Amino acid sequence: QVQLVESGGGLVQTGGSLRLSCAASGRTLSISTMAWFRQAPGKEREFVAAIRRSDDSTYYADSVKGRFTISRDSAKNTVYLQMNSLKPEDTAVYYCAARDNSLSLRYTGAPSYGYWGQGTQVTVSS
C-alpha cells in the first residue's frame, strides 16, 4: 500500500503563486507515476500534471501548461506542484495520485491511479 498526504493549499489572489506538496509513504518503490488532479464544485475530477519516476518525464494538461510545474524529490518521496499565474478557474480541491502500472504519461484517466491523497483546497480570488 501507498499513503499520500498533500499540503500547501490556501487562498491566493489572481496572479499569485502556491506550491503544493505530496508526501508518499509505504511501498513507494512500487510507484511508477505520480500526478495531480483537481476537482471544482459540480465538476468532474480532471488531470493536471504527471511525473514519471524512472526518468522525471512530465506531462501537463493544456489548461496549466506554462503556468504549473510538477517536480519530485526522490530522497523525500515528495512530489510538488508549483502553481504560478493563478486564475479564479484554478480554484478546486487538488488531489495527489500515484500508480504502479506501466501506462504512458499521456494516459491521464483517474481510474488508472490506484492511490489518492485526501485533497487540499486551493482558492483563487478575483
Side-chain angles (χ1 to χ4, degrees), residues 91-108:
T91 295
V93 176
Y94 282 71
Y95 296 91
C96 179
R99 65 190 185 194
D100 55 10
N101 53 50
S102 59
L103 291 171
S104 165
L105 279 178
R106 294 178 178 269
Y107 196 92
T108 59

Side-chain angles (χ1 to χ4, degrees), residues 36-125:
W36 290 94
F37 286 74
R38 65 186 182 186
Q39 187 167 18
K43 295 188 176 181
E44 293 187 355
R45 191 168 299 190
E46 65 172 355
F47 169 81
V48 175
I51 186 165
R52 187 161 56 204
R53 181 170 174 269
S54 62
D55 61 2
D56 286 340
S57 293
T58 58
Y59 186 68
Y60 296 92
D62 287 343
S63 59
V64 305
K65 202 173 294 182
R67 299 188 299 124
F68 292 9
T69 302
I70 188 171
S71 63
R72 72 183 190 97
D73 183 331
S74 59
K76 296 181 179 180
N77 286 320
T78 299
V79 171
Y80 304 99
L81 186 68
Q82 178 66 44
M83 305 185 294
N84 299 328
S85 302
L86 283 162
K87 306 174 182 179
E89 50 263 45
D90 295 318
T91 295
V93 176
Y94 282 71
Y95 296 91
C96 179
R99 65 190 185 194
D100 55 10
N101 53 50
S102 59
L103 291 171
S104 165
L105 279 178
R106 294 178 178 269
Y107 196 92
T108 59
S112 71
Y113 288 85
Y115 306 101
W116 293 86
Q118 80 287 353
T120 184
Q121 177 71 44
V122 171
T123 303
V124 184
S125 64

Side-chain angles (χ1 to χ4, degrees), residues 1-4 24-31 98 100 114-116:
Q1 288 289 340
V2 173
Q3 295 78 43
L4 304 173
S25 60
R27 296 184 61 186
T28 57
L29 290 180
S30 69
I31 297 173
D100 55 10
Y115 306 101
W116 293 86

Side-chain angles (χ1 to χ4, degrees), residues 5-28:
V5 179
E6 303 101 331
S7 61
L11 173 65
V12 64
Q13 291 185 334
T14 297
S17 298
L18 279 176
R19 189 177 81 155
L20 306 182
S21 300
C22 173
S25 60
R27 296 184 61 186
T28 57

